[in-house]
Structures are given as structure tokens and as C-alpha cells.
Amino acid sequence: TNVYSREGGMVHIHVALKGSVKKDQHIATMVDPFGQEVRRYFAPHDGRVLAVAIDPLREAGAMLVRVLR
């Protein structure tokens, strides 16, 4: 399952590639150009992190994290 950004900005990924995640675990935070938090993203289900965004600058609709069941 892919987690997509709802708006553009700078993203901080809080999980490691191949790491385990639990449902509703905080996995990423989107901030504006001033560093103010815009949105938090959470794991949609338990699983392993298959892919993460490496470029912190993300557009609306861009993939942030891919979680494999």
C-alpha cells in the first residue's frame, strides 16, 4: 500500500527501509517552508517498509512510503 502526500512541502520520513510498522504508526511528517507541521501520515496497516521517498521535497500526490503486508 502506498501512502501519498495530500499537499506539497518538505517531508520527514520516520521509518527505515525494510523496517516493521504497526497500523496507525506515525511514519512521516509534512512541513511547510518555515518548518511548521502541515500534516502527519500514519501506516495504513501492519507490515514492512518496502520503499521510502529519498527526496524530501514532495509535490501533492507524490508517494511517501510503501508498506507491504
Side-chain angles (χ1 to χ4, degrees), residues 19-47:
S20 295
V21 295
K22 297 287 184 186
K23 181 176 173 44
D24 297 325
Q25 178 179 334
H26 181 204
I27 58 173
T29 304
M30 184 69 69
V31 298
D32 67 16
F34 303 103
Q36 298 299 311
E37 185 176 299
V38 175
R39 182 178 304 275
R40 288 182 176 202
Y41 294 90
F42 300 91
H45 50 74
D46 293 353

Side-chain angles (χ1 to χ4, degrees), residues 3-19:
V3 177
Y4 296 101
S5 63
R6 294 188 182 171
E7 59 279 302
M10 300 283 290
V11 68
H12 299 285
I13 305 294
H14 305 298
V15 293
L17 190 60
K18 299 182 184 177

